[in-house]
Amino acid sequence: MTLTKKIIIFMLAGAALGLALNFTGLNNNEFMNTYVVGGFLHVIGKLFILSLKMMVVPLVFVSLFCGTTALREPSMLGSIGGRTLMFYLMTTAIALVIALSFATLIGVGQGSEIAPVAYVAKEGKAFVDVILSIIDNPFKAMAEGNMLAIIVFAIILGLSATMAGKAGEDVIDFFKAFNEVIMKMVMLIMHFAPYAVFAILAKVCAELGIGAIQDLAGYFFTVLGLLFFHALVIYPLLLKLLSGLNPVTFLKKMEGAVTFAFGTSSSNATIPVTLRTVTERLGVNRSVASFTIPFGATINMDGTAIMQGVACVFIANLYGVDLTTTQLLTVVLMATMASIGSAGVPSAGLVMLQGVLLQVGLPIEGIGIILGIDRLLDMTRTAVNITGDAAVTCIVAKSQGQFNQAVYDDPEAGVIRE
Ligand code: ASP
């Protein structure tokens, strides 16, 4: 059996257990709540997410360093970077335009009588600070998981190593070996995924149930529908039109990474798996992927943008505000910028939504209303976010001749078996 299949089976079993606990009210039982759901299940799931996070920083640093040194032409970095940034911004803007148009068209939230809920604003990151955080003490950046600063340091170090003659070669050889070891570690940890995903799903479903969705069904299903549309229609179209790749193969091979993203709600924690998927399953050259994947996990969040677009229209309708065209355009601009500024961690999208709402003059208390059901949407939009990173990575790699078509076409390439 493939690992992905096993993960999906365990995920469904976890969801079923969680729903059963919620439905029978067993999760309200003190013992269950403290020791089983909030104890055992919580710890198992959390340990797994922490072990993925443990690998992210060394993995990104080492593999990006090796990727940079392996590029034949250092000037290629510029064109890879430029194209990637352009596509990341483009896909986010497309996501927002579709989300805003659709949500406005169906008038999501109109006529709904949900009572406003108090919401305490959290500190968001200013755009200027995002720019300034690109360069930092590498050890501080690594300790804090500041992905952009790690990316910049790894690239500059990689370029310097290629120019440093014999000393550079020694360092490159060391990190090449280190890279192999880290990839082995990724494989080892991935084998624990089924059990962790079981625990995570059981906990989320036990705590949430499906009752919470009822009041917000309009908002919930609009976001969900648009997320599926983006992943199953927009990315396949872009892949086909811009690179001629078979979209069905792409979606099939993304299955594993998508399940990880869904389980962890974090693009960052999923980096090891996304990186492995695009290189070993989809045939992207490591020099490109080691840059585009961590970069995408940090700045490209199409699923998050979709949620923010719908949330703006929903909150405006709840509070009886008519959004003008200028306000809608502001949402597109602000949400695209916000997606650059936030890290790929759980609920980051909600914190960023504050800035967008403030900018268009909508009440941030609206976030309090959608907070309760955000966890399920967070899981799904994270899956879309990383699918976008992988799609753009394939398009850029193909256009730069850094792509192995035979690997892409081979259904068995990079499959992990139990
Ligand atoms: N959890 C999302 C991610 O990591 C970000 C968000 O929308 O909250 O991609």
Side-chain angles (χ1 to χ4, degrees):
M1 187 193 280
T2 62
L3 179 63
T4 306
K5 266 218 183 87
K6 189 168 171 189
I7 296 178
I8 294 174
I9 293 172
F10 274 69
M11 188 182 256
L12 293 176
L17 173 71
L19 287 176
L21 287 177
N22 186 283
F23 196 64
T24 53
L26 262 175
N27 62 315
N28 294 328
N29 170 297
E30 168 107 31
F31 175 81
M32 277 307 250
N33 200 347
T34 320
Y35 296 104
V36 180
V37 178
F40 184 69
L41 295 176
H42 173 69
V43 170
I44 298 285
K46 195 77 192 171
L47 276 179
F48 179 70
I49 294 180
L50 287 172
S51 36
L52 282 174
K53 281 191 179 160
M54 168 181 83
M55 285 185 301
V56 169
V57 169
L59 173 76
V60 168
F61 171 68
V62 176
S63 80
L64 188 51
F65 173 85
C66 293
T68 309
T69 58
L71 277 180
R72 283 183 306 274
E73 292 289 328
S75 62
M76 259 179 82
L77 261 177
S79 69
I80 293 173
R83 269 165 204 253
T84 309
L85 182 64
M86 184 189 82
F87 282 124
Y88 280 160
L89 295 181
M90 188 182 92
T91 49
T92 309
I94 293 176
L96 275 161
V97 170
I98 295 177
L100 286 172
S101 317
F102 186 75
T104 310
L105 194 76
I106 64 163
V108 65
Q110 259 167 14
S112 159
E113 283 168 12
I114 302 167
V117 183
Y119 177 72
V120 184
K122 293 194 189 77
E123 194 66 26
K125 215 174 182 184
F127 196 65
V128 178
D129 293 333
V130 176
I131 307 272
L132 290 178
S133 69
I134 291 177
I135 295 187
D136 205 346
N137 170 347
F139 295 103
K140 178 163 170 264
M142 287 185 193
E144 290 171 356
N146 172 356
M147 223 40 88
L148 291 180
I150 299 173
I151 290 176
V152 170
F153 178 69
I155 290 178
I156 300 178
L157 194 72
L159 288 177
S160 311
T162 54
M163 297 174 208
K166 171 78 178 69
E169 277 165 30
D170 290 346
V171 176
I172 293 171
D173 284 343
F174 169 75
F175 278 121
K176 263 192 189 153
F178 197 4
N179 201 13
E180 304 255 323
V181 176
I182 298 249
M183 283 317 282
K184 186 78 211 163
M185 194 168 154
V186 172
M187 290 282 290
L188 287 178
I189 291 178
M190 277 170 76
H191 282 286
F192 291 99
Y195 317 105
V197 165
F198 173 86
I200 295 172
L201 261 285
K203 179 170 182 280
V204 170
C205 293
E207 287 176 349
L208 213 63
I210 23 182
I213 298 173
Q214 273 164 13
D215 290 344
L216 294 164
Y219 165 77
F220 184 83
F221 287 110
T222 307
V223 177
L224 208 61
L226 285 165
L227 287 174
F228 274 98
F229 179 77
H230 204 71
L232 302 179
V233 177
I234 301 294
Y235 293 141
L237 262 179
L238 289 176
L239 266 178
K240 189 80 204 157
L241 293 178
L242 298 173
S243 63
L245 291 170
N246 181 343
V248 180
T249 310
F250 173 80
L251 290 175
K252 269 210 179 105
K253 292 194 169 195
M254 281 306 290
E255 214 177 49
V258 160
T259 2
F260 270 82
F262 187 79
T264 58
S265 282
S266 166
S267 307
N268 268 11
T270 313
I271 288 176
V273 188
T274 322
L275 195 56
R276 192 186 172 279
T277 304
V278 294
T279 50
E280 290 176 33
R281 300 269 293 130
L282 294 168
V284 173
N285 197 325
R286 191 159 269 281
S287 339
V288 176
S290 58
F291 167 68
T292 56
I293 294 301
F295 191 43
T298 317
I299 76 154
N300 183 46
M301 296 185 187
D302 302 346
T304 305
I306 288 173
M307 175 281 282
Q308 294 183 335
V310 178
C312 283
V313 178
F314 177 69
I315 292 170
N317 282 338
L318 279 189
Y319 288 85
V321 182
D322 247 341
L323 289 174
T324 62
T325 315
T326 321
Q327 278 173 313
L328 289 174
L329 286 176
T330 313
V331 174
V332 174
L333 199 72
M334 281 303 296
T336 308
M337 301 236 287
S339 102
I340 299 178
S342 79
V345 293
S347 293
L350 273 191
V351 178
M352 285 153 25
L353 180 60
Q354 277 177 194
V356 183
L357 291 175
L358 281 175
Q359 199 67 31
V360 283
L362 287 169
I364 51 168
E365 285 73 26
I367 297 180
I369 298 173
I370 54 177
L371 193 68
I373 52 157
D374 193 63
R375 182 65 212 258
L376 279 179
L377 291 177
D378 194 2
M379 298 167 93
T380 319
R381 68 178 180 253
T382 308
V384 174
N385 289 346
I386 64 121
T387 307
D389 301 341
V392 168
T393 296
C394 288
I395 293 170
V396 172
K398 185 93 200 287
S399 74
Q400 299 283 316
Q402 302 281 323
F403 190 79
N404 188 334
Q405 187 72 44
V407 172
Y408 189 88
D409 293 334
D410 175 7
E412 285 301 305
V415 171
I416 307 177
R417 295 200 181 272
E418 277 294 276

